[in-house]
Every structure is written in C-alpha cells, then in structure tokens.
Amino acid sequence: MATFLYKLGRLSFRRRHFAALIWVALLTLAGVGAASAPAAGNSSFSIPGTEAQKAFDLLEQRFPGASADGATARVVFKAPDGEKMTDAGNKATVEKTVRALSDGSEVARVTDPYQAKAVSKDGTIAYAQVSYKVSGMELDDAAKDALEDSAQDAREAGLTVEIGGDALQAVPHTGSSEIIGIAVAAVVLVITFGSLVAAGLPLLTALIGVGIGVSAITGLASALDLGTTTSTLAMMIGLAVGIDYALFIVSRYRAELAEGREREEAAGRAVGTAGSAVVFAGLTVVIALVGLSVVNIPMLTKMGIAAAGTVAIAVLIALTMIPALLGYAGRRVKPAGEKGKLLGRAAKKASKEASKEPSREAWKEPSQKPERPNLGTRWASFVVRRPVAVLLLGVMGLGAAAVPASSLELGLPDDGSQPTSTTQRRAYDLLSEGFGPGFNGPLMVVVDAKGSDDAKAAFTEVGDEIKGLKDVVTVTPPAPNKAGDTATITVIPGSKPSSVTTENLVHGIRDAGADIKADTNANVLVTGSTAMNIDVSEKLNDALVPYLVLVVGLAFLLLIVVFRSILVPLKAALGFLLSVMAALGAVVAVFQWGWLSDLMGVEQTGPVMSMMPIFMVGVVFGLAMDYEVFLVTRMREAYVHGEKPAQAIVTGFRHGARVVTAAAVIMMAVFAGFIGSSESMVKMIGFGLATAVFFDAFIVRMAIVPAVLALLGRKAWWLPKWLDRALPNVDVEGEGVRRSDSDRGDADREPART
C-alpha cells in the first residue's frame, strides 16, 4: 500500500492543477445540487420491530385519513392573574382563536378546549389541540405563520399563549461557538507549523471536504429523508478528522524536507507513510460509523452512513489534494524545525544552519552537536522509567471519572429538555402546571379486536384493567374505528414522560395486555411518543453488546494487520473502553446530575439521550484508533529499523507527540464548538466527544499506552509465525518505499531549500 500511495502522492504533486480541479469541480457540483434541492426538515422517525411502531402502523391501516403521522400543535392558554379561562372574555378569545386555527388547508381538526374538557381544575389553563394532514417536515411556512399569528392575537387580548408539539420545530443552530472551535484549530495549526501557509492547508482541505459532504447530504436530504441533525453531525466529525488527517501528512512532509529530500519526493513519502496511517485510521472510523446500522434504527443508520461518507472524503482529500496544494505552496512550507516569518527572525537563523548541514534521521546519523530533547521525548523517557506508576495513576483517574456512568439513565429528548426561551418549553411547563407532569407524555393504547368474538367487551375490559394500574391519572373511553374492530384509549400517567415510573407503567399495560389476549383474543399495543422513546432505549441497550463485538472485532483484525501484533491491538481496545466509560461518566455528571450545567448551557437536566452510549462507542472508537495508529506506527517504524523497544517508544513520541497533541486539541476544539447548539442532542454529543478525545488522547494514548508498551517490551510486537505468514503485508512503515529509494541510489535526495 505504501508504494501505491507514494506514487499517488508524487502524481498529485506533479499534476497539481488536475488534482485541484477535480476537487473544486466536485465541490461546485455538490453545491449546485444542494442549492437546487428541496429544503430538508426533521426526518421521519421509525423503529422497526418494536411494539410502538407496530401500533403506529396499525393505526394508519385501521384509521385511514386520521393523519396518524401528521404534525400536531398544542396551543396553551393561561388566564391573567385573578382570572379564569372560563370567564366570558377569555372564553370568547379562545373560541375566536380556535376558529382562526381551523381555517388552514392543511389543518385536519382543532379541538375546542371547552367542548373537549381541556381546562385545568383550577380554571387557569386550557389548551386547544391542532392536528395537521401532513407531517411537520412537510408543513408549509404559511401554516406555521398562521399558527403563530393566531397565538399572537390571543396574547394581545391579554392571555398568555404558548405553542407545543412538533408543528413549530425549528432547525437547530450551533451558534458562534462553532466558529470559535475552528478559530482555535487555526491557532493551534499556526503554532504547530509556525507558518500561515502550512497552517492554512489542513483548514482549507477540511472545509472543502466538509463542504462536499454536507452539500451532498443536503442535496439528497429530501429524497433519502435525512434530517438536519444528520448534516450537523457529519460536519462535526468531518471537520475534526479532515483537519487531523491533513495535519499528519503536512507534518510528515516537513519532516521529509528536513531530511534533505526534494519536494516532490517528500510529498510522495509523506503520503506513502503518514498516508498509510490515514487510510487505516479512516477505515476504523468508517467501520465504527457504518456499524451503527446493526441497531436497525433508520435515523441512526443514515446518520452513521452520512458521517462515514464525509470521513471517506476527508481521507481522499488528504491523500490527493494536500500534495497538490503542497506543490502550489512550494518553498513557503518550511522543513521541520524551521519557522516562517510569522514567528520572527529565528526562521532566518534556522535557514542558514539548514543550508550548511542538512538534518539527519536520529537513528542513522546522530548530530555532533547535542540538541535539547523536545517535550515528547522527555515525557516518554519519564514514562519508560516509571511505567507502573503512570499506568496505575492513569487507570485510577479514568476509573474515577467513569463512576457517574453507573447511574446512567437513558431517554429521548422532548419539549421538556428544550431551553426555557422557546415557546415549546414554556407550553410544556404550563401543561405540567395545569394538568400534571404526565400530561406531556400521554400513552396511546391500541386494541386490535379483529380476532375477538366481542370487540366492545374487549375494549371495555382493557380500559378497566388499565384504570387499576399504578400511576394512572386518566383513562379515556375507547374510541373505535368505523369497522368497530379497533379502538384507541388515551392514558395519562401521573409522572413525567422521562421517568422510570412511566416506563414501568408502559410495561405494566403490556403485561396486562398479554392476559387480556388470552381471555378475549384481542391484541393490546402501546404507542405514542413516550412509548416509542422507551422502545428506542431498550433497543439501543440490546444492540450495544453486538455492536461492540462487531466494531471492535473488525477494527481489532485491522490493527493486527497494521501493527503485526496481538497485544498492541488488544491494549488499544481496552484503552478505548476506559476512555469511553470515563466520557460517559462526564456526560452523566453534567447532563443528568447538573454539574457545571450553567457553564455548558444545560437548562434542564434529565436522562441521557438513548443513542448517546452507542453513538459514542462508534465515533470515539474510530477517533481513538486514529491516535493509536498515528502514534504507535512511528514506534513500530523505529522498532522495525532496529531500535530497542524502550527507545522505539521514545522515538515515536519524539516524532509524533507534538503532532498528535495538536490533532487532539484541534478535534476537541471542533467538537466543543457544537456545545453551543440549540438542540440538546447535538450539544450532548459535542460535549461527550470533546471529553472523550481529551481522555483518550492525553491519558490513554499519551500515558497508558507507552506505560503498557514499556512493561511488555519485545512481547508487545509478538505475532505467531503462522499468522504472520497468513496476514497481508500492508507496509504502513513504508519499507517498500525505502527499498525503492535504495535501489535508485537515493537519486532524488538533495539539501532542503528554504
């Protein structure tokens, strides 16, 4: 592979106009497609195989025209202090609003609060239910404007009016913090390279890659039912890996220049060596993201595949466009150890010294003049001397951070998790105040009595059985369809939707339904948003272990091929488990317990998003393997070329620690930028990934990994001979390139120019 990538790097450098033109054309094509495509909304949500989804599908079949998947809105009214909603003036205002709400062409029906008995016991709060013929994603702006205008008219009449439901769901925004994350990445790149030109290359290529990926997602959003969250997450991950992959190749290019190689040759070698690590690191991320499809939740599958596509684009751009841009940059990208004019006159001094005597590889030709070891070398030397202490301290620290994860509670966000500045959250709070916390999470019980001898008796028995269960506040009379073989019963719990008590109630109704089926041959199904959230959480929990086995197993095999070792990949997987558990603990502490919630902008604590654990496992595993591949590949390269295990660790850190540190800081900055999102799911994922990268890069990879390798010694690189013969040789270390270079007599070698 290294030889192929070496040739690709040289070709891209030499044919830079052609390579750059291809990517600019792809960006233009994707941009035009995105601009001309219909706007995306919130993607439809389905969970095949669950009881809630079966009940939802049955409703569409047995209640045709009922718009079971249509958007809904609850217009909540509150009377001024000292007044009631039953007062004549307030009642007239509400009835006028209901008439105005009924005028829209997309409105299916509107319930009058006074006829539907939707007035609180104290008479201060009432609500009107608006059902639409189309989903929230398809709802016209005119219908949304009419809804808001009607509410505003009632406000002007003196009432407090808020709107809940999915009819007014807004497109999430990330705010200025996302731009701050990119700005931090730019500063880190400038410090790392000491040159605006060299620092700008990773940023430019990452933005082009994300532009192509997100534009493609936007263009296909309507056809493939991709929601806005899909493009946000693809942007988050694409930016992070795009900058990092380009950073590693540019850093290796500068190192090759410092060894005295001609620029085209340096570009080829950078792509052949660092590019090989980029390919395998990208593969681990793609495997982890595509593997999300095993959960069999379409929304999660689409998010994973879209993000994986953006990662694949980032890999291809790093391998082809980076060498092309290096060709354009020419001598403005300096060899390693030299600084550009940006950091002062030291650059000129370094340039003169470099012209007198080219730098040499540390293990080939030690410099006659002793150099002060860099920070990575000093740290690695310390870890090699004190491996047990470093290992214990790192494991104990991550273990302490992981403790909150033991109290992890899962759920899906609803209007109660939105900021208090939104009308949806205020409507949620008003309904809780007037009708109880369970009113925001009604359960819909569907009774399928098609196979029953007495359907009416079955409906009545189900209602009576539910009334006898704990935590039930209200049970509405059965509402049968025209055929009389199916009925719906609405159940109002006494607890809020995300509580464990409500979850127990759902299971209680389902258990009672099993006994009823034995007596009446009628099927009892529970659905509604609350029941669907519970089913999603259970499905994700059930899929977590198979997903771990699949993703970690495939990546483990891949890393065996890369490192030609059994223990190194095993150590990498165990280190990942430590970092992801610690990150989950941090998420629980902030979003569930409320620690630092004000700093993070978390206005409402509650259960952690159901898909957070499995999503973090997938994404963090892929990103963790990035640093494993980039850092340990350098150690493997030194070990293969004759260094002792302990010295190989130090050599790997001397060449890779600075770059890996910069890459981790950049990735943390990009992820942290999404903490400012208005959508709780994006905020939580941004915080979780930023925290996980910190734990994995700075504790696992920078401390635990060298400590374990120091303790293992040569055993770390052990591989059974029969397995060594069976595995393909992917040549991540670039040995094939070195042999070709030797055969040519190193003809391309020349002092680096400045």
Side-chain angles (χ1 to χ4, degrees), residues 398 568-581 620-621 624-625 628 695-696 699-701 704-705:
L398 291 178
V568 170
L570 180 61
K571 171 265 307 169
L574 293 177
F576 149 74
L577 291 176
L578 276 174
S579 58
V580 78
M581 288 303 298
V620 174
F621 182 77
M625 294 307 102
E628 181 75 15
F695 287 146
D696 195 86
I699 299 179
V700 174
R701 307 304 153 189
I704 294 178
V705 165

Side-chain angles (χ1 to χ4, degrees), residues 143-460:
K144 295 180 181 180
D145 292 340
L147 179 62
E148 292 178 322
D149 291 342
S150 299
Q152 184 59 36
D153 291 341
R155 290 189 187 104
E156 292 175 355
L159 298 177
T160 299
V161 186
E162 304 296 345
I163 305 172
D166 60 353
L168 288 183
Q169 282 189 346
V171 176
H173 62 274
T174 55
S176 60
S177 55
E178 177 190 350
I179 306 300
I180 294 174
I182 297 177
V184 171
V187 172
V188 173
L189 287 169
V190 170
I191 294 174
T192 302
F193 293 136
S195 164
L196 283 176
V197 175
L201 297 184
L203 281 176
L204 177 61
T205 54
L207 290 174
I208 291 174
V210 167
I212 294 173
V214 172
S215 295
I217 292 170
T218 304
L220 298 172
S222 179
L224 300 181
D225 191 22
L226 304 176
T228 52
T229 303
T230 303
S231 59
T232 302
L233 295 177
M235 180 191 304
M236 180 191 303
I237 297 172
L239 270 176
V241 300
I243 294 174
D244 278 8
Y245 294 164
L247 167 64
F248 285 113
I249 291 181
V250 173
S251 297
R252 189 59 183 254
Y253 171 77
R254 297 177 71 236
E256 295 293 337
L257 287 180
E259 293 175 15
R261 290 190 172 84
E262 184 266 336
R263 293 186 179 275
E264 182 179 327
E265 175 69 10
R269 283 175 171 269
V271 176
T273 51
S276 297
V278 165
V279 170
F280 282 99
L283 273 176
T284 59
V285 180
V286 169
I287 288 172
L289 291 171
V290 174
L292 291 171
S293 58
V294 303
V295 184
N296 196 27
I297 295 180
M299 184 185 76
L300 193 59
T301 299
K302 293 171 185 176
M303 287 167 56
I305 292 176
T310 307
V311 172
I313 292 172
V315 171
L316 293 174
I317 283 186
L319 297 178
T320 56
M321 193 170 186
I322 280 292
L325 293 179
L326 289 172
Y328 285 119
R331 298 178 183 178
R332 286 186 292 273
V333 176
K334 307 293 182 181
E338 297 184 25
K339 302 294 183 182
K341 295 180 181 179
L342 182 66
L343 296 185
R345 297 180 179 178
K348 295 182 179 180
K349 182 179 179 181
S351 176
K352 292 178 181 179
E353 293 176 354
S355 64
K356 294 177 182 177
E357 183 180 2
S359 302
R360 291 175 290 273
E361 291 184 52
W363 60 79
K364 284 186 177 180
E365 295 181 58
S367 174
Q368 299 295 325
K369 187 176 181 180
E371 296 180 359
R372 185 172 183 268
N374 61 21
L375 182 60
T377 302
R378 298 197 299 274
W379 169 250
S381 300
F382 170 78
V383 174
V384 168
R385 290 195 306 270
R386 301 284 188 272
V388 176
V390 172
L391 178 61
L392 289 177
L393 188 61
V395 172
M396 290 172 60
L398 291 178
V403 168
S406 61
S407 62
L408 175 67
E409 295 178 10
L410 298 176
L412 284 180
D414 55 17
D415 285 349
S417 62
Q418 294 203 33
T420 53
S421 58
T422 62
T423 185
Q424 291 94 334
R425 171 62 188 279
R426 291 195 292 264
Y428 180 98
D429 292 340
L430 284 176
L431 289 172
S432 295
E433 176 187 339
F435 301 93
F439 195 79
N440 284 292
L443 306 175
M444 180 175 287
V445 179
V446 182
V447 185
D448 179 8
K450 197 169 188 177
S452 178
D453 295 333
D454 189 347
K456 290 185 178 180
F459 299 155
T460 303

Side-chain angles (χ1 to χ4, degrees), residues 43 118 187 204 254 270 306 314 397 413 422 424 460 475 539 576 583 610 683 717 719 730:
S43 59
V187 172
L204 177 61
R254 297 177 71 236
T422 62
Q424 291 94 334
T460 303
V475 178
K539 188 164 187 175
F576 149 74
S610 300
K683 179 190 293 286
W717 308 106
L719 186 69
V730 295

Side-chain angles (χ1 to χ4, degrees), residues 374-569:
N374 61 21
L375 182 60
T377 302
R378 298 197 299 274
W379 169 250
S381 300
F382 170 78
V383 174
V384 168
R385 290 195 306 270
R386 301 284 188 272
V388 176
V390 172
L391 178 61
L392 289 177
L393 188 61
V395 172
M396 290 172 60
L398 291 178
V403 168
S406 61
S407 62
L408 175 67
E409 295 178 10
L410 298 176
L412 284 180
D414 55 17
D415 285 349
S417 62
Q418 294 203 33
T420 53
S421 58
T422 62
T423 185
Q424 291 94 334
R425 171 62 188 279
R426 291 195 292 264
Y428 180 98
D429 292 340
L430 284 176
L431 289 172
S432 295
E433 176 187 339
F435 301 93
F439 195 79
N440 284 292
L443 306 175
M444 180 175 287
V445 179
V446 182
V447 185
D448 179 8
K450 197 169 188 177
S452 178
D453 295 333
D454 189 347
K456 290 185 178 180
F459 299 155
T460 303
E461 182 176 347
V462 171
D464 293 341
E465 189 72 24
I466 294 174
K467 289 177 182 178
L469 298 176
K470 293 181 180 180
D471 200 49
V472 173
V473 174
T474 305
V475 178
T476 64
N481 62 349
K482 290 182 179 180
D485 59 5
T486 307
T488 60
I489 300 174
T490 301
V491 180
I492 305 298
S495 304
K496 63 181 182 178
S498 58
S499 68
V500 177
T501 307
T502 301
E503 182 179 347
N504 292 335
L505 175 60
V506 171
H507 290 302
I509 296 174
R510 288 172 175 172
D511 292 340
D515 297 333
I516 293 172
K517 183 176 182 181
D519 296 338
T520 65
N521 205 30
N523 289 319
V524 179
L525 305 172
V526 185
T527 188
S529 60
T530 301
M532 192 167 285
N533 289 351
I534 292 170
D535 287 349
V536 169
S537 298
E538 293 179 351
K539 188 164 187 175
L540 288 166
N541 286 337
D542 293 341
L544 184 58
V545 173
Y547 175 71
L548 263 175
V549 172
L550 172 68
V551 172
V552 176
L554 288 176
F556 181 77
L557 295 175
L558 187 66
L559 292 177
I560 289 177
V561 174
V562 174
F563 294 127
R564 319 295 293 186
S565 166
I566 297 291
L567 295 180
V568 170

